[in-house]
Amino acid sequence: MKYIDMHCDTILTVPDDGSSELLINNPKASVDFDRLRQSDAMAQFYAIFLMNEEMFKEEGKKYIPDDEYILRSVNMLKEAVKNTNYMEMAYNYNDLMNNSSNDKISALLTIEDGRSATSIEKIKHYHDLGIRLITLTWNFENSIGYPNSDDKTIMQKGLKNYGFEAVEYMNEIGMLVDVSHLSDGGFYDVASIAKKPFVASHSNSRALSPHNRNLTDEMIKIIAEKGGAIGLNFAPEFLAKDITNTHCKIELMINHLNYIKNIGGEDVIALGSDFDGIQGNLEISGSHEMPKLFDALKNNGWSETQLEKLTHQNMLRVIKETLK
């Protein structure tokens, strides 16, 4: 079954001295082009996750400033795509549909952590590079706003003045606004001004798993009312009641999908695996095993229509309404 995955961190798996060929075939990663083809993917969103200097050191990599790293990552993905006959870049709905009609999988670019998007000019530059989604924050405060946090004071803080401007501009030029990792206050600020659908690219239900990265019932309803989508995150700690859980089980994934569908309706559900950004004992360990989830959902009573909405139709609608 064709599917769209809204989030993976696979670009992180390519070492400093590595080749873009590792995006095509890399058994050490959870996602590569060959396995996307094997699993009949329609599109994969590739996140450019902005590590800080300490993270670069932990990864054994030389520190690269944000804009240099973004440009390097963009070029690496585009180069890898050129070296296949079954992948193609996509920047909007028409691109994606044209690629699909030519039996090609679409690759879309995103930035995880809007810390480098410090001005409207920078956002425009990223759009010109081909970036089509920005996750507004990661786990730290930036010029846009505040992150999810165990600190209730931080969690209540919202967008900064520039953050409001940034969201409005992203809507205007055709970039998806992603509220995964954002504080609760920031979420409601985005909802109050968004003129286009927005997404939580890789988040689950907070009622089922009380992690601050997950969404409350009210948030699920708001994203649905705005015509947006919520991408199921496969991370074990976002799936279980015990947020120290290390086992990602299909049963837990189905629980979240059923819950989100019941709260927000079947038009809000989507996929955001977070592959290559998550750890643990994963029952679905990579893109090649995605059909396991779809088969399990069929056995759980999901109709063909519901499956198609989850796997690609909902995201196609969001892409059509937002991306330029």
Side-chain angles (χ1 to χ4, degrees):
M1 177 171 282
K2 297 288 185 185
Y3 71 90
I4 298 172
D5 180 2
M6 231 193 305
H7 189 88
C8 76
D9 285 304
T10 305
I11 287 174
L12 285 175
T13 67
V14 180
D16 287 344
D17 57 352
S19 164
S20 62
E21 291 178 1
L22 286 175
L23 291 174
I24 300 172
N25 186 289
N26 184 359
K28 292 184 179 180
S30 293
V31 177
D32 60 28
F33 292 0
D34 287 347
R35 279 178 284 175
L36 288 171
R37 179 168 60 170
Q38 179 184 337
S39 61
D40 204 25
M42 176 179 282
Q44 178 68 56
F45 284 65
Y46 283 87
I48 302 170
F49 171 62
L50 300 184
M51 296 188 292
N52 57 33
E53 291 191 48
E54 184 178 336
M55 291 174 185
F56 271 100
K57 193 176 295 183
E58 289 173 355
E59 292 287 326
K61 296 182 177 184
K62 179 183 176 182
Y63 172 70
I64 304 173
D66 287 347
D67 280 341
E68 182 182 341
Y69 184 72
I70 290 168
L71 181 59
R72 176 178 175 164
S73 299
V74 168
N75 290 338
M76 183 171 62
L77 182 62
K78 289 180 178 179
E79 180 185 347
V81 165
K82 286 179 181 177
N83 290 328
T84 73
N85 60 4
Y86 57 88
M87 295 285 297
E88 194 62 70
M89 297 301 301
Y91 306 103
N92 53 46
Y93 175 80
N94 288 338
D95 289 344
L96 202 153
M97 296 309 294
N98 287 336
N99 292 343
S100 184
S101 66
N102 290 316
D103 294 322
K104 291 189 176 184
I105 304 164
S106 291
L108 295 96
L109 280 158
T110 81
I111 292 175
E112 185 171 19
D113 191 351
R115 75 179 191 208
S116 64
T118 52
S119 68
I120 295 304
E121 291 74 24
K122 290 286 287 291
I123 295 174
K124 183 181 186 305
H125 170 64
Y126 296 146
H127 186 271
D128 291 343
L129 284 178
I131 305 297
R132 288 299 181 270
L133 176 151
I134 296 179
T135 307
L136 298 183
T137 61
W138 188 58
N139 292 345
F140 303 103
E141 174 188 351
N142 62 27
S143 62
I144 292 174
Y146 296 85
N148 72 100
S149 175
D150 291 330
D151 185 325
K152 291 183 179 179
T153 302
I154 293 175
M155 198 63 152
Q156 291 170 358
K157 292 184 177 181
L159 298 180
K160 297 181 180 179
N161 289 339
Y162 166 67
F164 284 97
E165 187 180 357
V167 169
E168 290 175 336
Y169 185 68
M170 288 171 68
N171 279 176
E172 180 184 331
I173 65 171
M175 292 182 80
L176 262 171
V177 174
D178 179 14
V179 297
S180 285
H181 287 283
L182 193 60
S183 65
D184 288 359
F187 175 95
Y188 289 111
D189 283 343
V190 169
S192 72
I193 63 167
K195 295 182 176 66
K196 298 284 182 68
F198 62 92
V199 299
S201 67
H202 54 304
S203 296
N204 299 335
S205 161
R206 203 179 294 179
L208 297 188
S209 178
H211 198 292
N212 290 325
R213 275 275 288 101
N214 287 335
L215 303 164
T216 66
D217 289 3
E218 185 178 27
M219 291 173 177
I220 292 169
K221 290 175 183 176
I222 289 172
I223 294 175
E225 289 166 1
K226 290 285 187 176
I230 298 165
L232 176 75
N233 191 319
F234 294 10
E237 63 269 32
F238 302 152
L239 288 169
K241 279 288 185 187
D242 178 5
I243 62 174
T244 66
N245 172 51
T246 59
H247 297 273
C248 168
K249 297 181 179 179
I250 292 175
E251 178 185 0
L252 295 175
M253 298 164 76
I254 292 176
N255 288 346
H256 278 267
L257 288 173
N258 279 330
Y259 188 87
I260 292 170
K261 177 166 62 70
N262 289 338
I263 295 296
E266 59 190 36
D267 292 338
V268 77
I269 47 175
L271 300 167
S273 68
D274 207 359
F275 280 143
D276 292 314
I278 58 176
Q279 296 177 332
N281 182 9
L282 309 179
E283 193 167 356
I284 297 177
S285 63
S287 52
H288 59 296
E289 294 187 323
M290 288 290 259
K292 285 184 179 180
L293 175 60
F294 311 147
D295 290 342
L297 287 165
K298 286 179 187 176
N299 292 334
N300 192 256
W302 280 48
S303 69
E304 199 71 19
T305 298
Q306 290 172 328
L307 279 170
E308 288 181 349
K309 286 185 175 184
L310 165 72
T311 55
H312 62 283
Q313 292 291 355
N314 289 341
M315 273 311 298
L316 284 178
R317 184 197 70 248
V318 172
I319 289 167
K320 186 175 185 178
E321 294 181 15
T322 57
L323 298 192
K324 297 179 183 176

